[in-house]
Amino acid sequence: MRKRIGFRYAFMMMTAVGLLTPSVVSNAEILDESSVGISYALDQYISNLEEQEKENGESEQVGDGLTCRYPEFEGKCLAYVEESVNVREEPDEDSERVGSLPVNGIALVVDKGETWTKIESGITEGYVRNDFLLFGDAAGAYAEATCPKRAKVNTITLNVRAEQTEDSDCLTIIPEGESYEVIPRDDDVDGWTYIQVDSDIKGYVSSEFVDISYGFSHAISVEEEEEIRKQKEAEEAARYAEMTSTKRQEVVNYALQFLGNPYVYGGTSLTNGTDCSGFTMSVYAHFGYYIPRTAGAQMDGLSSVSLSAIEPGDLLFYRGSDGSIGHVTMYIGGGQVVHASSSRTGIIVSGIGYRTPCAAARVIWD
């Protein structure tokens, strides 16, 4: 039996963070070492792993006798926290903070001690308490069981199929470079990957044409945190400077205030939960424009506009697996749309080509 590390001070909650791209870290998100609580779910998870080891028996032994089931995690560790954990200059809680290791943060183990481990991640090097790290096989088992995976398209265009066969219906076509959430299924067949395109489309893609990766992040140094903060402030200032007084731009600016809010099927609340058409309907209702409730009715009831002539505030429509209109987004300019995408992502901004639109409509005409 491999030695179990003490990681019962971590929290089970994991979030679908972006691949390898750090998000802005606020002071509130950088956890003190004492602020992560014990969870019953975590205790159950550890117990289940131990039971599996007993049932499977002893495996091949390597090195100092530890079982090596996930060689790709050898010499690495994962942050096992709710948000972020501090990286210290020295193995002491009073030592200067040199950065933070976020949830799903992966790092190289430089020197593992009994209480603290020296890690290297990104450009950050320092010490993290062992209570907040998973090592080697434990990290691999946890990542395999719970960490989100993403599928990035590595071909020019890729068909999303209804079934795990090339002869099944094509639900939509997705472009090279776009990344989508992988949804595990009990009936998965080798050679196919099940992904969620948005709230309306889930389907299979050939595994040959996607690169699968975990949603790992790197540590963020104190200097990087400051640069990210400054960059975000500059981007916000630029965005506000570019705002115009046109009604269409006002609609777009209002819609973007609700990024990150939840998706709820059948909902119309911009704060508590809405679906795609409820989102567009409620945004326009705020400005006194009352449009139909469903995506199909919105397309039928509004004035159409050519996809080549869309402007901010225009609505883009997409067909579902049955051929009917099943999803709607709002064009915000710059080749991007905002939409209530799915229950997993909520309200997000996507590239206009994340999925192929079939029609567009305009609410506000100059």
Side-chain angles (χ1 to χ4, degrees):
M1 184 71 64
R2 82 180 98 132
K3 181 181 178 183
R4 283 286 173 197
I5 62 174
F7 50 12
R8 282 180 167 82
Y9 294 98
F11 191 80
M12 192 65 180
M13 178 179 179
M14 305 298 289
T15 59
V17 298
L19 294 176
L20 302 181
T21 302
S23 57
V24 175
V25 180
S26 66
N27 291 333
E29 291 174 320
I30 301 171
L31 301 182
D32 290 332
E33 281 80 4
S34 61
S35 66
V36 185
I38 300 172
S39 76
Y40 173 77
L42 176 57
D43 289 336
Q44 290 296 105
Y45 173 72
I46 297 170
S47 297
N48 289 340
L49 286 181
E50 292 172 344
E51 285 299 318
Q52 291 175 16
E53 285 183 344
K54 292 178 182 178
E55 294 174 2
N56 295 336
E58 295 301 322
S59 300
E60 181 183 357
Q61 303 294 307
V62 297
D64 60 358
L66 297 180
T67 304
C68 183
R69 296 182 181 175
Y70 299 91
E72 65 271 29
F73 285 89
E74 184 176 357
K76 299 177 182 177
C77 60
L78 277 178
Y80 199 44
V81 293
E82 181 180 359
E83 292 177 340
S84 298
V85 65
N86 290 324
V87 182
R88 302 285 181 180
E89 186 174 19
E90 300 294 338
D92 188 301
E93 292 182 11
D94 296 325
S95 176
E96 183 177 355
R97 192 176 70 85
V98 296
S100 58
L101 191 62
V103 61
N104 288 350
I106 193 166
L108 293 175
V109 175
V110 178
D111 183 18
K112 183 181 177 185
E114 297 222 350
T115 305
W116 293 81
T117 290
K118 188 174 186 179
I119 62 104
E120 182 180 328
S121 180
I123 65 171
T124 303
E125 184 172 311
Y127 292 86
V128 177
R129 270 178 47 186
N130 293 350
D131 295 336
F132 309 116
L133 298 173
L134 298 179
F135 298 89
D137 277 354
Y142 181 75
E144 180 65 26
T146 64
C147 285
K149 296 179 182 179
R150 304 285 294 181
K152 185 175 182 179
V153 181
N154 61 21
T155 187
I156 296 176
T157 57
L158 182 60
N159 293 328
V160 180
R161 302 286 184 182
E163 304 294 339
Q164 301 175 79
T165 170
E166 293 182 358
D167 297 328
S168 67
D169 293 339
C170 177
L171 304 180
T172 191
I173 299 175
I174 52 180
E176 184 175 16
E178 288 291 327
S179 182
Y180 303 89
E181 181 182 3
V182 174
I183 306 174
R185 289 178 62 94
D186 293 336
D187 61 349
D188 280 345
V189 172
D190 287 344
W192 292 91
T193 300
Y194 194 59
I195 65 170
Q196 176 146 13
V197 179
D198 56 28
S199 63
D200 189 54
I201 293 289
K202 299 177 185 177
Y204 294 93
V205 294
S206 174
S207 301
E208 177 183 0
F209 301 111
V210 291
D211 297 321
I212 306 296
S213 58
Y214 287 109
F216 294 147
S217 299
H218 290 313
I220 308 170
S221 69
V222 171
E223 294 78 14
E224 286 176 312
E225 290 172 3
E226 180 62 16
E227 286 301 314
I228 292 170
R229 183 189 65 79
K230 290 180 179 178
Q231 181 180 357
K232 185 176 181 181
E233 287 181 353
E235 290 174 350
E236 285 295 310
R239 186 172 73 85
Y240 284 117
E242 291 174 359
M243 286 184 181
T244 69
S245 60
T246 66
K247 185 65 70 174
R248 282 198 303 272
Q249 191 63 50
E250 289 179 21
V251 169
V252 167
N253 295 338
Y254 180 72
L256 291 173
Q257 295 180 31
F258 303 102
L259 289 176
N261 286 352
Y263 173 98
V264 174
Y265 179 75
T268 60
S269 172
L270 296 172
T271 53
N272 297 324
T274 180
D275 58 21
C276 62
S277 56
F279 174 68
T280 52
M281 181 190 74
S282 297
V283 167
Y284 268 112
H286 177 77
F287 294 90
Y289 296 90
Y290 300 101
I291 65 176
R293 171 64 182 88
T294 66
Q298 288 176 11
M299 189 187 80
D300 292 338
L302 298 173
S303 300
S304 63
V305 63
S306 169
L307 286 167
S308 62
I310 55 174
E311 296 183 12
D314 289 346
L315 305 184
L316 305 185
F317 300 94
Y318 308 79
R319 296 196 183 279
S321 55
D322 62 356
S324 64
I325 300 301
H327 194 67
V328 59
T329 68
M330 178 184 291
Y331 184 60
I332 63 174
Q336 294 183 310
V337 294
V338 61
H339 57 136
S341 177
S342 71
S343 58
R344 289 179 174 83
T345 62
I347 299 171
I348 61 172
V349 169
S350 300
I352 194 171
Y354 91 98
R355 183 179 164 197
T356 306
C358 65
R362 181 165 297 166
V363 177
I364 301 173
W365 292 81
D366 291 337

